[in-house]
Amino acid sequence: MSFISLKDIHKTYDAGYQALRGVDLEIEQGDFVAMMGPSGSGKSTMANILGCLDSPSSGTYIFNGVDVTKLSRKQKAMLRRFYIGFIFQGFNLLSRTSALENVELPLLYRGVDKHVRHAKAMQALEMVGLDKWAHHSSNELSGGQQQRVAIARAIASEPMFLIADEPTGNLDSKRSVEIMQLLQSLNSDFHITILMVTHESEMADFAKRELHFLDGKIQMDKPKGANIALDSRTSAESHLADSSLAESNLAESHLAESNSADSSLPQSNLDSSAPDFINAESLASDSAPLDSAIESNPTHARNP
């Protein structure tokens, strides 16, 4: 069974507009999919459904063996919180909050212990080459650095599935390439399944597969084989070392009147702590629904 399976997905809004018209899609674990199409083609609606931010009008969505279309609102919130990460075009960082605190935010929603939360956030910042900028506020960082903080925030919660919505839309070409190389190395080195929405064919070349939407349907689905391959020395830990240095001068101009601060980095690997709330067996059993798990874990009852 595929990691993600969509069968005959339709989405019709109240005004009668059909955003999706019978979409079938299979995504394997470890895939990197670029989703393209003109405005109104249905790609954003598809991404929202895959991220459990919206529900289809009809059809079936299977995520890692679980029928998402049968989940309650609370169950979908749990799935998002523990299994899906999001990267947005506009970064969506808290401007007066440090990079570290921004990355810790999804872990805070989980109720993760402060010291564990701090360690996981610091390791995620190291993975994107920004551990030495951990205590700087986001408005002291360049655009490329802010997007890397947003990526660190998404991966700190150790998602199985990462959805990136126009991740390079607000960046210049050089920073865009750096962000795409980072996403590519996260996919290849850590086997994180990635779905990226983009209008830019140059950015889609970093993916393994390209989908084109038109009028609510998949018009084209082709493997790309990652047309732009990573350098043999590249990894998520080491790749951005050079780009971090290259970007430092730009960021330093923002910090001319600010105090700088370094922080030490924990050496332990990020370990998965997500409870097994979502699996086919528990959903099939009336005695162990996700709602019961949520009720018994009040610290996780908030929406993400």
Side-chain angles (χ1 to χ4, degrees):
M1 178 181 293
S2 298
F3 173 53
I4 288 174
S5 179
L6 302 173
K7 298 294 184 183
D8 197 27
I9 295 293
H10 291 257
K11 180 64 179 181
T12 303
Y13 291 99
D14 292 340
Y17 172 68
Q18 290 184 289
L20 295 174
R21 304 165 183 257
V23 174
D24 294 326
L25 177 63
E26 305 285 330
I27 298 176
E28 302 299 331
Q29 195 154 20
D31 208 350
F32 186 170
V33 181
M35 192 158 61
M36 305 183 71
S39 297
S41 63
K43 64 184 186 301
S44 294
T45 301
M46 188 76 269
N48 287 337
I49 289 174
L50 286 167
C52 298
L53 299 172
D54 199 357
S55 299
S57 302
S58 63
T60 303
Y61 171 19
I62 305 296
F63 180 95
N64 200 34
V66 173
D67 189 344
V68 176
T69 54
K70 295 181 179 179
L71 297 182
S72 69
R73 180 175 175 272
K74 286 184 178 181
Q75 290 171 325
K76 289 179 182 178
M78 296 295 281
L79 191 152
R80 288 196 304 271
R81 186 173 303 159
F82 286 98
Y83 298 92
I84 303 176
F86 296 91
I87 302 170
F88 304 98
Q89 177 179 345
F91 315 146
N92 289 2
L93 301 179
L94 301 178
S95 61
R96 297 184 181 181
T97 304
S98 72
L100 179 63
E101 291 167 328
N102 270 286
V103 175
E104 285 187 65
L105 191 59
L107 301 173
L108 179 65
Y109 284 137
R110 284 191 184 185
V112 175
D113 174 79
K114 179 180 179 180
H115 298 292
V116 176
R117 188 171 72 228
H118 179 89
K120 287 179 179 287
M122 282 299 299
Q123 184 140 8
L125 284 169
E126 184 199 24
M127 288 169 68
V128 301
L130 286 181
D131 50 301
K132 292 185 178 181
W133 296 86
H135 298 289
H136 294 297
S137 62
S138 60
N139 56 11
E140 295 174 326
L141 304 176
S142 69
Q145 288 175 318
Q146 288 185 54
Q147 188 60 297
R148 280 190 265 154
V149 171
I151 293 172
R153 179 182 59 193
I155 64 175
S157 57
E158 304 170 33
M160 296 177 70
F161 185 36
L162 190 60
I163 298 177
D165 186 8
E166 298 282 0
T168 62
N170 286 341
L171 304 176
D172 61 32
S173 58
K174 181 178 180 180
R175 308 306 167 202
S176 294
V177 169
E178 290 173 359
I179 292 302
M180 291 310 306
Q181 288 173 327
L182 173 58
L183 290 177
Q184 194 181 48
S185 56
L186 288 171
N187 171 253
S188 61
D189 295 348
F190 297 96
H191 310 292
I192 298 174
T193 305
I194 300 176
L195 175 83
M196 177 182 67
V197 178
T198 183
H199 284 97
E200 304 172 85
S201 59
E202 296 87 353
M203 301 302 106
D205 283 341
F206 285 88
K208 297 175 180 175
R209 181 179 171 194
E210 187 175 318
L211 300 177
H212 280 255
F213 273 74
L214 184 66
D215 298 332
K217 298 181 178 181
I218 296 177
Q219 183 186 42
M220 182 178 67
D221 181 353
K222 67 175 182 178
K224 298 183 70 68
N227 292 348
I228 301 178
L230 285 175
D231 185 287
S232 59
R233 68 176 178 84
T234 299
S235 70
E237 292 94 345
S238 65
H239 163 66
L240 287 201
D242 294 337
S243 61
S244 294
L245 291 174
E247 205 168 38
S248 291
N249 290 336
L250 175 62
E252 287 291 350
S253 67
H254 296 293
L255 296 174
E257 299 178 358
S258 303
N259 295 323
S260 64
D262 288 344
S263 58
S264 59
L265 181 73
Q267 298 301 313
S268 59
N269 292 327
L270 291 174
D271 59 323
S272 179
S273 58
D276 188 22
F277 287 155
I278 300 176
N279 57 67
E281 290 77 13
S282 67
L283 291 178
S285 171
D286 291 336
S287 62
L290 269 176
D291 283 332
S292 296
I294 295 168
E295 292 300 326
S296 64
N297 291 271
T299 58
H300 299 318
R302 298 182 300 273
N303 285 331

